[in-house]
Amino acid sequence: MKKTWLFAVLAVLFFPLALQAKTTVIYHTSDSHGFYYAKDGRGGFAALAGLLKQEKLPYILLDSGDFANGTVEAKNSKGIKSVLMMNALGYAASTLGNHEFDFKDPGVEPMLRAAQFPILAANFVDRKTGKQPEYLKSYQIFNVDGVKYAVIGLGHEYPTNETQKFKILKSSKVLDKVLAEVEAQNPDVIVLVDHNSIADDKHGRESTLLKMVTKHNGKINVVLGGHAHKIIQNAVHNGTLFVESGCYLKNVSRITVETDDKTGKFVSATSQIIPLYTQKTGEYAPVAALANALMEPGMDKVLGSASVKLSRNPVKGNQGDSPLNNWVADVCRAYSGADVFIHNNGGTRVDLEQGTITKRDLVNMHPFGNKISQVKVSGKFLEKFVKYGLAPRNLFSYSGLQIEYKLRKGKVQDLKIWVNGQALDKNKTYVVATNTYIAEGGSEGWPFKQIPAADKKQVGDLSIQEIMEKAIETTSPLGAVETGRIIIK
């Protein structure tokens, strides 16, 4: 009897406290890159829609950019089909990734105007007016079951193509100003969607994003990042939860947000990554039908096969090169006739799996329609370029080079380079080839900006995509590709 009475008292005391918490949910994606369809029973917009249909709590769906390019559907429509898919899913907002500029300035506005959700990029303003165009916003306020969400957006500061339309402002200064505007509206939850990562070992952006946000001492409750294709869950820094959701729509992050039921204010947030296995999520029929209607014809034509999986990542611990990147470099070098071919590893997006190879597989693996350029460089330039590309991780793969080096405290030491079996001569002129984007100094190819235009020329009319197709048709099945061109001592 006494135990029953005690339980009743405790229930009266603590039950009201339980009622004070309200739960809402944020779903987050990033770097979907046009991967609309499930592959091997996982991923795609129809699977994500199926999962959302199962959600019982009020939610908001947000994206951190890079939706415009990466598959043939996205590329051929200049990102508009990606936006149509996101419209169908009911995205609340997204920001601008670097690949939203793959189709240069003329491709940006039509794509963004097609969005039925706000594109948030507080750091992008029109170069002529100094103001944001009507199809961009700095932030948006959302009501999610009575909880007032303020979502701020920051686009990537380094688009894949230089923009003359927009002036890109420094994110940290812009955030200070916009956060003050947002706080004046007294939101319950503040979320930042940013196309940057707290773990970007390629571009060294970690300290920038962390420093920019954590100096605000938890005023920003949740940061939804991207760009590095990493999965990060429940990373709390100075009161702010940082979440990243991987890439290619294989997963989605579900962030559970607790707010005080009386005051409405933020209490806590936790996240979990959910793999989009179609057996568990199902595929929501209307979204699947739309995706199928947008499918490009002829892309499932079988070109040949691979007898083994070709990985885009290194397969041995002391080697910096990979089977797939070496294969791309080899077939492109054979086409170019150069002494050396340089392939940027970031251009290879997914592995080439064992089994049949279709045109779609190749576009998904290397979605960029670049052609090849020959560039005349000195041995001194080539040595500096190779050294720059080795740390903090290897940015390039090579055909025609053998490289050995030591890595000590993040710095390259004792670098040795052989060109087609001969020690590199700093005073010799070499003919190197690479894709046109790198040759013109795009992204990590920026050292090529210093090479005079007279020393560059396009090779042939075939794109790298077409070169790979011909190589597969003539050498199928593809076998194992030797590695060991880049040795870390």
Side-chain angles (χ1 to χ4, degrees), residues 85 98 161 190 251 266 269 374 387 484 486:
M85 293 302 303
N98 52 303
N161 289 296
I190 298 179
N251 312 287
F266 177 83
Q374 277 189 1
K387 186 174 182 179
I486 302 175

Side-chain angles (χ1 to χ4, degrees), residues 77-227:
S77 68
K78 295 185 177 179
I80 289 179
K81 288 183 178 180
S82 296
V83 172
L84 296 178
M85 293 302 303
M86 294 172 76
N87 288 343
L89 266 287
Y91 274 84
S94 180
T95 191
L96 290 174
N98 52 303
H99 285 289
E100 269 62 86
F101 287 83
D102 279 8
F103 313 108
K104 302 184 178 179
D105 282 343
V108 174
E109 184 173 344
M111 173 179 60
L112 300 187
R113 285 192 179 278
Q116 296 173 358
F117 49 89
I119 306 295
L120 308 178
N123 54 332
F124 278 68
V125 296
D126 188 281
R127 192 177 292 274
K128 292 181 179 179
T129 67
K131 299 179 180 180
Q132 288 188 306
E134 59 183 327
Y135 49 84
L136 289 181
K137 292 184 177 181
S138 295
Y139 66 91
Q140 183 80 13
I141 304 294
F142 299 95
N143 186 320
V144 184
D145 192 36
V147 178
K148 190 176 182 181
Y149 274 80
V151 181
I152 302 169
L154 290 173
H156 194 70
E157 293 181 8
Y158 302 98
T160 52
N161 289 296
E162 291 185 6
T163 173
Q164 302 303 315
K165 169 69 175 174
F166 297 101
K167 181 179 181 181
I168 305 173
L169 308 175
K170 190 172 182 179
S171 295
S172 57
K173 292 183 177 180
V174 170
L175 181 60
D176 293 347
K177 180 182 176 182
V178 175
L179 182 58
E181 292 179 16
V182 163
E183 287 184 299
Q185 299 194 44
N186 196 31
D188 302 319
V189 181
I190 298 179
V191 178
L192 172 66
V193 287
D194 189 334
H195 193 73
N196 275 305
S197 170
I198 63 169
D200 190 347
D201 55 5
K202 178 178 178 182
H203 297 99
R205 302 283 297 167
E206 176 180 0
S207 60
T208 302
L209 181 57
L210 279 174
K211 207 180 280 187
M212 179 177 72
V213 171
T214 55
K215 75 174 186 179
H216 292 290
N217 299 314
K219 290 181 179 179
I220 300 171
N221 305 121
V222 179
V223 173
L224 304 174
H227 186 58

Side-chain angles (χ1 to χ4, degrees), residues 96 243 426:
L96 290 174
V243 175
K426 292 183 181 181

